[in-house]
């Protein structure tokens, strides 16, 4: 299952891939059928989808049926919600294609029908991750030291932040104000030489990023999201990439692509 979204104003792209295989993915049961090699591509309002999912409680109360009687209808509805599952399915409601999200909020049945726009499978090619060069620097971030806390403080000082990373495991965030320059240092990060442009620990890279965009791409650090690892990938004068593996890693991953400002040779020195 692939999700793709892009902020047309800020230029930030996010791509997510979730495993749907039964037993190791996000679904207990999964079935999809279509004439396009069992692939369906559609567009959906993420805010409505998120609201629908958040409205469904995970409390133990949802495991009990609130229906009395022994008739067949109640029995089917009881089994439908008895394990406190969230059911998602594609269907038409009033002739409009929708993603239906059904579940329990406490002891109350909740049904959502979110309108979608069905697209051609070939259109997915326009929503794939951008093709970029191999990273100059790749560093694995520590879960216990979220960057966003620091970035939020720097955002009030300057609109842009300089990110200086090196394959020896060091990362520096720097903002320049009118009368001062502030730097924050992170050390002992794990360099990732796989798929990197160079295997030398002396390799360095400097990027200039809008502080607001960097903060937005780090929102997941202050949510209930559980990540097994997160890597910061830097491509000089091209892109900042944040790649996050979910916990457990078998569930999937998501990747942010953050645009950067061009730096001249003199600014890179």
């Amino acid at each position: 299952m692939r999700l793709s979204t892009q902020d047309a104003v800020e230029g930030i792209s996010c791509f997510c891939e979730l495993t749907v295989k039964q037993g190791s993915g996000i679904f207990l049961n999964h079935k999809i059928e279509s004439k396009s090699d069992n692939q369906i591509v559609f567009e959906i309002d993420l805010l409505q989808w998120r609201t629908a999912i958040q409205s469904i409680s995970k409390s133990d109360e949802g495991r009990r049926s609130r229906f009395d009687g022994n008739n067949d209808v109640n029995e089917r509805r009881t089994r439908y919600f008895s394990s406190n599952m969230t059911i998602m399915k594609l269907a038409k409601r009033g002739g409009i294609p929708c993603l239906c999200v059904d579940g329990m909020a406490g002891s109350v049945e909740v049904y959502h029908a979110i309108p979608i726009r069905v697209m051609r499978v070939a259109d997915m090619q326009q929503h794939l991750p951008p093709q970029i060069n191999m990273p100059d620097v790749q560093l694995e971030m520590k879960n216990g030291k979220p960057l966003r806390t620091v970035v939020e403080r720097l955002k009030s000082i300057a609109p842009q932040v300089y990110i200086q990373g090196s394959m020896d495991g060091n990362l520096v965030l720097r903002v320049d104000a009118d009368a001062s320059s502030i730097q924050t240092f992170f050390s002992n990060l794990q360099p990732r030489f796989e798929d990197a442009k160079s295997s030398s620990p002396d390799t360095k890279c400097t990027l200039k990023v809008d502080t607001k965009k960097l903060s937005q791409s780090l929102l997941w650090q202050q949510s209930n999201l559980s990540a097994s690892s997160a890597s910061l990938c830097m491509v000089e004068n091209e892109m900042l990439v944040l790649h996050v593996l979910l916990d457990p890693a078998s569930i999937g991953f998501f990747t942010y692509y953050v645009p950067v400002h061009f730096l001249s040779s003199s600014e890179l020195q």
Side-chain angles (χ1 to χ4, degrees), residues 100-171:
C100 300
V101 182
D102 305 338
M104 295 287 288
S107 59
V108 179
E109 295 177 41
V110 178
Y111 300 91
H112 293 273
I114 308 167
I116 63 173
R117 182 173 70 90
V118 180
M119 304 164 62
R120 298 180 305 164
V121 172
D123 292 339
M124 190 62 192
Q125 297 299 319
Q126 304 174 21
H127 302 277
L128 295 177
Q131 296 294 319
I132 60 175
N133 290 316
M134 296 179 68
D136 296 284
V137 170
Q138 285 191 123
L139 298 171
E140 184 174 331
M141 297 186 293
K142 296 182 179 179
N143 289 336
K145 295 183 179 181
L147 285 179
R148 190 170 190 272
T149 304
V150 175
V151 173
E152 278 295 293
R153 294 176 181 175
L154 297 178
K155 188 170 67 173
S156 62
I157 301 173
Q160 284 90 34
V161 57
Y162 290 88
I163 305 175
Q164 301 169 325
S166 60
M167 292 297 278
D168 61 359
N170 292 311
L171 182 70

Side-chain angles (χ1 to χ4, degrees), residues 167-235:
M167 292 297 278
D168 61 359
N170 292 311
L171 182 70
V172 181
L173 303 183
R174 189 188 90 234
V175 293
D176 297 329
D178 293 335
S180 63
S181 178
I182 301 174
Q183 299 185 72
T184 302
F185 297 86
F186 296 86
S187 59
N188 299 320
L189 302 181
Q190 181 65 45
R192 294 299 182 189
F193 293 99
E194 308 88 15
D195 299 325
K197 189 177 296 183
S198 173
S199 59
S200 170
D202 298 325
T203 303
K204 298 181 180 181
C205 182
T206 301
L207 300 178
K208 183 181 180 181
V209 184
D210 287 341
T211 320
K212 179 182 177 181
K213 295 179 181 179
L214 181 59
S215 178
Q216 288 177 336
S217 64
L218 293 168
L219 276 171
W220 57 272
Q221 289 190 332
Q222 294 187 340
S223 68
N224 294 325
L225 179 72
S226 180
S228 60
S229 68
S231 298
L232 188 74
C233 308
M234 305 171 65
V235 187

Side-chain angles (χ1 to χ4, degrees), residues 25-86:
I26 61 171
F27 298 125
L28 295 176
N29 192 14
H30 171 261
K31 181 180 180 181
I32 183 169
E33 294 180 354
S34 79
K35 296 180 180 179
S36 300
D37 195 25
N38 291 333
Q39 297 181 66
I40 300 176
V41 178
F42 61 89
E43 184 180 71
I44 188 172
D45 186 307
L46 282 178
L47 181 58
Q48 293 185 35
W49 193 8
R50 184 186 68 177
T51 302
I53 294 176
Q54 288 179 339
S55 70
I56 298 174
S57 171
K58 296 183 181 297
S59 66
D60 288 341
E61 188 178 359
R63 294 190 174 94
R64 297 188 297 269
S65 171
R66 67 181 179 90
F67 304 108
D68 297 322
N70 296 317
N71 60 70
D72 292 340
V73 174
N74 280 350
E75 287 181 3
R76 286 197 299 269
R77 296 170 80 183
T78 300
R79 289 196 299 269
Y80 186 74
F81 293 110
S82 61
S83 57
N84 198 28
M85 293 186 298
T86 300

Side-chain angles (χ1 to χ4, degrees), residues 1 18-27 29-30 251:
M1 180 178 179
L18 302 173
T19 303
V20 297
K21 184 178 179 181
Q22 188 170 345
S24 60
I26 61 171
F27 298 125
N29 192 14
H30 171 261
I251 291 179

